[in-house]
Structure formats: C-alpha cells, structure tokens
Amino acid sequence: MGSGAEIWVVMVGLCLMITLLVANLMRPGLVLFSTVVLFMCAGVITPEEALSGFGNKGMLTVALLFLVSEGVRRSNALGHLIEKLLPERKDMTVRKGYARILPTITSVSAFLNNTPVVVVFIPIIKQWAQKVGLPLRKFLIPLSYAAILGGMCTLIGTSTNLVVHGMMLEAGFDGFTMFELGKVGLAVAVAGTLYLIFFAAKRLPSDGSPDLEDTLAHEEEQLEGGTAVKAVLGPRFPGINRSLKEFDFKRHYNARIREIYRDGIVVKNLKDYLFREGDALLLDTDGSFVRTWGDSTIFLMLSNGRKYESAAPRWKKWLSLSLLTIMIGGATFGTLPAVRSLLPGFELDMFFWAAVVTVLMACFGIFPAKKYTKFISWDVLVTIACALAISRAMSNSGLANYIAGKLIDLSGSVSPVAIMAVLYITTNIITELITNNAAAAFAFPIALSAAAQLGVDPMPYFVAICIASSASFSSPIGYQTNMIVQGIGNYRFRDFVRTGLPLNIITFVLSMILIPLCWNF
C-alpha cells in the first residue's frame, strides 16, 4: 500500500495522460510511456515493474496475431469469401446487403485483427455498392461495428481481451479460455447485428449529402481513371501535428493533395491546417502510389477505386486458412485439463499456437518474412506494455483501492452488480475518449480492489471490462477501424453518435443481464 503522496502523484499523472490522449498531441504509446517514466521517477514503480509489461504474454500474443492476420489478408481468402456473398442484382437493398455481409464480418473478426478485415472489405464493398446502385456511406460504419462486435466473442478477437487476460495471469488468475467471453459476446454480437440490419440504414447519411455530393462524384470520376487516391493518415505519418508549410507532402510522396476531409467535411483553410491521424486526403498521384505505400503503416487505408487483388497462389489461401484453424483449435483444446495432464511439460495456450503459426507462415512465404516488422503496430504494443505498468502503479500507490472505495460509496450500495454497472460505464466512457487498451488497464486494478473490498469473485468485473473497452460505437476516436471508415466515408462525428449510441445501450443492458448469470460473484 502506497502513501497519500503517491496517490496524488498517480492521480495527477493519470489526469495529464488522459488530457494528452484527448488532445492527440502525441501518439498513445509515447503518452503512456511518459506516464510510466513519471511514476518510475516518483518511486511508485520500480524499473523492473516498468518493464514487466514488455514481457507480458498477452502483449506478445497481440504482436504475433498482427502477423497471422497479415498472412490471411495477403492470401485474399477474405476477398473470395465476401465476393461470394454479394450478388450483383439490381433488386438488392441496403437491408439485404447488411443481412449478407454483416454476420460474415462479425464471424471473421472473432478470429482476426479487425483492421485488416475492414481494410480488405472496404474496396470490395465499394465496388459492389456502385454496381448495384446502393449508397456506400450506408455500409462503412456498419462494417466497422460488425468487426468490433465479432471481437467481443473470443479471446483473440481484440487486443483488449488479451490485455485483460495478461493482467489476470499476472494477478494469479487462470485467465480466459478461447470462447469464454462468447457467453456474453455472442449474444451482444447477435443483438447488435440485428440492430444494424433493421435500424442502421435510417440513421446513416446517404452519398447524396448536399455538402459532399459534388466532391464525391468528382472523386469517383477521377478514381476510375486511376490517377486519384484517397488516403487515411495513420499513426506513423511523419507530418502529424505539422502544417502543410512545415511538411512538404509532394516531395515526400510524389503526390499532390487536392482536398482534405476532417469530421466528414472538406477543410477550407489549408494554410493553417495541421495533419492529424484519421484525416482523409484526396490525392493526385502518378499511378504507383498504392503499390509503393500499400504495405506502409504511414496510411491506415489507401483507396483507388479498385478492390484488393492478391498475387498469392491458390495454395497459400488454403494453407493460411488451415493454419488459422489449427491455431484456433489448438488454443481451444490445448488448455483443457485432460490435454494438460497428458502433456505436463507443455503450455499449449494461445501464445504457443500463435508463435508456431507465425513461424510457419513466414517459412511458407504467406507474408514477406523480410518485412515482418512493417505489419506490426508497434504503438499498440507499447501502449499495452505501458498500460500494464500504469495498472501496477495504481495498485502500488493505493489509488485503485481508493477509487474502488469511492465507487462503492457513490453507488449507494454494496451490490456487486451496481458496482459492475458503474465500472462498465466508466470504462466505456474512457474508451470513447482515448483508447481501448488504456481504458482496460485503468479499470483492471479498480475492479480487483472493488472485488476484494466486497469479498466477491472479480471474474464478472474482468468480463465487463473486456466488453466495455471494446464497445466503442459512439465515437471515431477509440477504435482504429472507426477512424478508417470515417476517413473513407466522410462521416461526421454525429453519424457515429446517432448510429452507435443505441448499440452502446444494447451492449450495456445485455452485459448487465448476462454477466451475473454466466459468472457467479
């Protein structure tokens, strides 16, 4: 237990961290690392505790899954799958399109990183929507939401689940099994998908928005000529928070910026414009831009009006799917007590199988082994590792115990369900404002302390944190796939609120009903 001074140090540090994350002045990984350094200098955590997150099994599993997802993306197995579900019939409606693609996207995202799933599907859906005469902007936000819903169903569906799993292991708990979160996640995914199918179209803008109609029409005309590209700026773009005068885009990328979109509208005053992650740029290029920068994490998404075509041979598609199946099956059955007793010297968990499959994919050339570092989102890994250290600082200082006590007082009850509701809402709000992994790391020690003070099993609280951290529907900020579709679809912030807030409410209500039924306090 820390001193009162340490509690204040950690509290001030967390407030500064959240302020910097909301202001988007630095990348989340650097913000959290700076916070960890502050706590280390104040003596709240030791250097060993500051570094412990970098060896966390959950964080390392996330790194491996980036490569597995890249291998599946490059095999074009996802492209072939979705094309079979989208017939080019003129009687197709938006609702019929939802019914065909959203359940599939939800299912795929339960086992693959959400970002490559969304990146692969966007150009396919875009071309299909043009051919059948449906507005693209009715589909992109539901695409992102379906990917998020799928991620709630399995241990590997989203990095947040693995972060909480890693913290559980460090705290001495068994962690989650592969499909344990599906007890709640599957029901949320089904209800959320039904909501999107029946209600989302009415809450989303069409392509005929008055302020964007001419711009979008002009863009499509240029894209068909193969000279224009729409690019969504990623975290590694070197011009973030710099103006057009300070960063010469044309010199760096041999492309001219024609228009810039932010929050769904065209930026008027380009002279004073500062680049920001998630901004969408309409570029005039020489035709080689997508080929040159397609694999770079400088851009979250590049769209030139053409669907992604993989040059991979057919056998790589089947091999990548087979390896993915082996990984999922191995991690599911490898942790069973019977298997553990048969192989006492082996820990056949998700990390083991992800590591094996990653090496096999590299050996068979399913992803370029010499470029493997390009496919890992290092900022996400740094964010996760530092978030674990910050969680440790909250426990060491006594802040987690203090906040847990206040939550119990504020709820006016010692009911574990009431505390869970407050914890869920708090985590969900933080997720919408900053990032999902930071929100989970912030909430975990509080949940652990609250359970200890109430004398109950903390497992229901851990599940609530996973669901709340992933349920980023009302803002484009908290989830990278939301930022991607905002840039490509020129959505405004209010489009996410109108469509996503009911989904947040559905997720909350189902979680509060199902979690206590599936896990006893």
Side-chain angles (χ1 to χ4, degrees):
M1 181 68 67
S3 65
E6 287 183 345
I7 290 178
W8 278 105
V9 167
V10 176
M11 192 178 297
V12 170
L14 290 175
C15 290
L16 289 173
M17 180 189 79
I18 292 172
T19 301
L20 288 172
L21 288 171
V22 172
N24 197 29
L25 297 177
M26 295 188 293
R27 291 297 305 145
L30 184 56
V31 172
L32 268 70
F33 182 72
S34 302
T35 307
V36 169
V37 172
L38 172 64
F39 295 158
M40 185 174 64
C41 292
V44 179
I45 54 176
T46 65
E48 289 74 20
E49 289 174 325
L51 293 172
S52 62
F54 290 93
N56 181 270
K57 186 178 287 188
M59 187 276 288
L60 295 173
T61 304
V62 171
L64 295 171
L65 291 176
F66 278 124
L67 298 176
V68 173
S69 297
E70 178 63 20
V72 176
R73 184 189 75 84
R74 283 179 170 270
S75 72
N76 203 30
L78 299 181
H80 288 301
L81 174 66
I82 203 67
E83 285 173 356
K84 293 182 182 299
L85 296 171
L86 295 175
E88 296 175 4
R89 299 200 310 260
K90 291 299 179 183
D91 63 340
M92 183 63 66
T93 64
V94 172
R95 184 173 291 177
K96 288 180 180 178
Y98 286 168
R100 283 182 171 272
I101 62 175
L102 295 186
T104 302
I105 292 166
T106 300
S107 302
V108 170
S109 294
F111 304 105
L112 292 174
N113 184 277
N114 294 347
T115 301
V117 171
V118 170
V119 167
V120 168
F121 284 174
I122 283 176
I124 296 173
I125 293 174
K126 185 171 187 175
Q127 279 210 338
W128 172 80
Q130 290 173 345
K131 289 178 180 178
V132 299
L134 294 176
L136 176 67
R137 298 176 81 211
K138 296 290 187 184
F139 287 91
L140 296 186
I141 283 182
L143 166 62
S144 178
Y145 287 173
I148 294 172
L149 289 169
M152 297 180 183
C153 298
T154 67
L155 172 62
I156 62 172
T158 175
S159 60
T160 309
N161 295 347
L162 285 163
V163 169
V164 176
H165 174 74
M167 288 190 289
M168 289 171 65
L169 294 176
E170 284 195 347
F173 297 91
D174 288 338
F176 298 120
T177 58
M178 173 63 79
F179 295 102
E180 187 169 8
L181 291 167
K183 296 175 184 177
V184 174
L186 184 60
V188 171
V190 170
T193 303
L194 290 174
Y195 159 75
L196 292 173
I197 291 172
F198 289 103
F199 300 103
K202 296 179 180 179
R203 310 186 75 84
L204 287 167
S206 66
D207 290 343
S209 177
D211 56 338
L212 291 171
E213 186 174 1
D214 295 337
T215 302
L216 290 173
H218 181 55
E219 174 194 342
E220 294 303 325
E221 177 185 342
Q222 294 295 322
L223 285 172
E224 289 176 4
T227 59
V229 172
K230 198 163 190 180
V232 180
L233 300 183
R236 292 192 180 181
F237 178 68
I240 295 292
N241 293 323
R242 296 168 67 184
S243 68
L244 283 166
K245 288 182 178 179
E246 296 171 319
F247 185 82
D248 190 339
F249 190 94
K250 190 174 190 309
R251 182 176 64 83
H252 277 80
Y253 302 109
N254 194 29
R256 184 180 66 85
I257 297 176
R258 188 193 304 169
E259 286 173 343
I260 299 173
Y261 304 86
R262 177 176 292 172
D263 196 22
I265 59 176
V266 180
V267 175
K268 300 296 184 184
N269 189 5
L270 294 182
K271 187 181 295 184
D272 299 324
Y273 163 80
L274 297 179
F275 290 109
R276 195 170 69 189
E277 181 185 355
D279 287 347
L281 279 57
L282 185 60
L283 307 173
D284 286 316
T285 72
D286 61 2
S288 64
F289 188 86
V290 174
R291 184 171 64 253
T292 303
W293 299 102
D295 285 335
S296 172
T297 53
I298 289 172
F299 303 100
L300 294 176
M301 175 78 191
L302 296 177
S303 173
N304 63 353
R306 302 183 182 91
K307 61 187 178 184
Y308 173 77
E309 294 290 350
S310 172
R314 189 177 181 86
W315 67 267
K316 286 190 176 181
K317 176 182 75 172
W318 293 111
L319 180 58
S320 67
L321 291 177
S322 299
L323 290 173
L324 179 65
T325 303
I326 290 171
M327 183 185 76
I328 295 166
T332 302
F333 296 104
T335 54
L336 294 177
V339 177
R340 286 180 174 178
S341 63
L342 286 174
L343 300 168
F346 290 88
E347 194 169 352
L348 304 179
D349 57 2
M350 176 49 63
F351 173 78
F352 175 90
W353 290 105
V356 171
V357 168
T358 299
V359 171
L360 289 174
M361 283 188 167
C363 291
F364 284 104
I366 296 177
F367 63 80
K370 291 184 178 180
K371 299 180 179 179
Y372 80 97
T373 56
K374 297 178 67 174
F375 312 126
I376 298 174
S377 180
W378 296 103
D379 189 74
V380 171
L381 299 185
V382 173
T383 299
I384 293 172
C386 293
L388 296 170
I390 290 170
S391 178
R392 181 70 63 87
M394 291 178 65
S395 298
N396 289 357
S397 66
L399 180 61
N401 280 335
Y402 176 79
I403 295 176
K406 290 297 180 182
L407 285 179
I408 294 172
D409 293 340
L410 286 174
S411 67
S413 167
V414 291
S415 166
V417 176
I419 301 302
M420 182 174 69
V422 175
L423 186 68
Y424 182 104
I425 293 171
T426 304
T427 306
N428 196 227
I429 291 172
I430 294 174
T431 291
E432 300 286 11
L433 292 176
I434 48 174
T435 66
N436 51 349
N437 292 320
F442 174 82
F444 184 87
I446 299 173
L448 197 59
S449 295
Q453 292 182 35
L454 294 173
V456 299
D457 189 336
M459 180 62 83
Y461 292 159
F462 298 156
V463 176
I465 290 171
C466 288
I467 302 296
S469 299
S470 296
S472 180
F473 302 116
S474 299
S475 160
I477 299 170
Y479 226 90
Q480 194 172 66
T481 56
N482 286 349
M483 296 182 68
I484 292 172
V485 299
Q486 183 191 34
I488 294 294
N490 298 308
Y491 293 108
R492 298 192 179 189
F493 196 98
R494 68 188 183 200
D495 295 325
F496 287 89
V497 176
R498 278 173 48 84
T499 314
L501 187 57
L503 197 50
N504 276 111
I505 295 171
I506 291 170
T507 305
F508 171 73
V509 172
L510 283 175
S511 297
M512 293 304 103
I513 294 172
L514 293 175
I515 292 175
L517 293 177
C518 297
W519 293 273
N520 294 323
F521 282 102

